[in-house]
């Protein structure tokens, strides 16, 4: 998935306090030993160019990176929420993008260990070195499960859809991406309308994407919504929403 828009220079959320974690100490020690040893400077330059220079890369192909990640985590204990926060925040503080990919994969695997108390950390991750490669996974695989586990967090998504940060808005739009029959259609449609006139490509694209995904579950509802609001939705959002209808 590549886009022509340039990275936006949003101000990241203040970093939450870094919790102490023996597990994070172990993981980061192994990670910063194994990942750099597999670096490929030529591939790193290509990766950085593809991602619009959002961050430097080590240049590790995804299959190799995930194999290294398994070695990093071999024999480690199941994390508590504080361990998840410590690992993610420490990975996000490192310059190369692969460390953030590691943290994102780790959170996807262990999101059930986290509660609504993880939201400040999530917000920091979404708004720090933000680009679609991390934000979209955090939205669908971290924000989404957190909201599903604690319906009170739907109010947080209602606040995020109003945010000035486009990546927070995109996260609110995409958090129900994997909900299927559990999707709150009323809230989804309200969020899409609330930001229908947003000027940024990534928000307009996200509106179309979440509608297209919901159309796999309730195509008639999406078709009726798009037709009723075609004058408010951007052409990009309409095109994406109706791609498979």
């Amino acid at each position: 998935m590549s886009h022509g828009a340039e990275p936006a220079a949003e101000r990241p959320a203040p970093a939450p306090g870094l919790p102490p974690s023996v597990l994070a100490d172990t993981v980061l020690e192994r990670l910063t030993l194994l990942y750099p040893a597999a670096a490929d400077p030529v591939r790193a330059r290509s990766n950085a160019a593809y991602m619009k220079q959002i961050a430097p890369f080590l240049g590790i192909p995804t299959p190799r990176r995930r194999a290294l990640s398994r070695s990093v985590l071999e024999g480690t204990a199941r994390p508590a929420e504080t361990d998840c926060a410590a690992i993610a925040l420490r990975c996000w503080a490192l310059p190369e993008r692969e460390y953030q990919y590691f943290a994102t994969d780790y959170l996807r695997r262990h999101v059930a260990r986290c509660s609504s108390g993880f939201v400040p950390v999530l917000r920091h991750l979404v708004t720090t070195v933000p680009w679609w490669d991390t934000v979209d996974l955090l939205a669908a695989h971290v924000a989404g499960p957190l909201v599903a586990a604690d319906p009170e967090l739907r109010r947080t998504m209602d606040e995020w859809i109003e945010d000035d940060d486009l990546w927070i808005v995109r996260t609110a739009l995409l958090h129900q991406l994997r909900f299927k029959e559990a999707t709150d259609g009323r809230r989804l449609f309200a969020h899409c309308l609330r930001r229908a006139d947003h000027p940024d490509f990534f928000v307009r694209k996200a509106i179309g994407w979440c509608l297209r995904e919901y159309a796999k579950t309730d195509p008639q509802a999406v078709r009726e919504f798009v037709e009723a609001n075609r004058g408010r939705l951007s052409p990009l959002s309409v095109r994406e929403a109706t791609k498979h209808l």
Side-chain angles (χ1 to χ4, degrees), residues 115-134:
S115 70
S116 58
F118 193 77
V119 169
V121 175
L122 174 62
R123 183 181 179 93
H124 177 74
L125 304 182
V126 167
T127 57
T128 304
V129 200
W131 200 234
W132 62 264
D133 56 337
T134 54

Side-chain angles (χ1 to χ4, degrees), residues 11 20-21 61 67 131 147 190 194 197:
R11 181 185 297 276
S21 166
W131 200 234
V147 173
R194 176 65 189 88
D197 61 350

Side-chain angles (χ1 to χ4, degrees), residues 124-240:
H124 177 74
L125 304 182
V126 167
T127 57
T128 304
V129 200
W131 200 234
W132 62 264
D133 56 337
T134 54
V135 171
D136 293 358
L137 293 174
L138 292 170
H141 297 281
V142 181
L146 289 176
V147 173
D150 182 359
E152 286 297 310
L153 288 180
R154 291 179 295 191
R155 298 179 183 178
T156 300
M157 295 297 103
D158 291 343
E159 295 170 0
W160 282 23
I161 200 68
E162 303 284 348
D163 207 272
D164 292 335
D165 187 301
L166 73 91
W167 299 105
I168 291 294
V169 173
R170 185 170 168 102
T171 299
L173 288 165
L174 298 180
H175 82 275
Q176 296 195 82
L177 209 58
R178 301 172 68 242
F179 280 23
K180 298 182 179 178
E181 289 80 6
T183 300
D184 182 342
R186 182 194 61 79
R187 181 169 264 105
L188 176 68
F189 293 151
H191 284 180
C192 290
L193 284 181
R194 176 65 189 88
R195 303 321 297 253
D197 61 350
H198 198 286
D200 192 88
F201 168 89
F202 283 102
V203 173
R204 299 195 305 269
K205 182 89 169 183
I207 290 171
W209 184 11
C210 64
L211 290 172
R212 183 175 77 243
E213 196 64 25
Y214 186 42
K216 297 176 183 177
T217 298
D218 194 342
Q220 186 61 28
V222 173
R223 185 180 292 111
E224 291 175 358
F225 171 77
V226 171
E227 287 305 316
N229 297 283
R230 191 176 287 269
R232 295 180 61 181
L233 297 167
S234 74
L236 172 62
S237 298
V238 170
R239 186 166 62 250
E240 289 295 318

Side-chain angles (χ1 to χ4, degrees), residues 54-93:
I54 189 65
F57 279 74
L58 292 167
I60 308 173
T62 298
R64 175 63 173 151
R65 176 175 59 79
R66 288 188 170 148
L68 291 170
S69 297
R70 289 192 290 272
S71 297
V72 167
L73 296 173
E74 186 175 356
T76 58
R78 293 179 68 188
E81 181 173 318
T82 54
D83 299 314
C84 291
I87 289 170
L89 291 171
R90 288 174 66 171
C91 284
W92 241 260

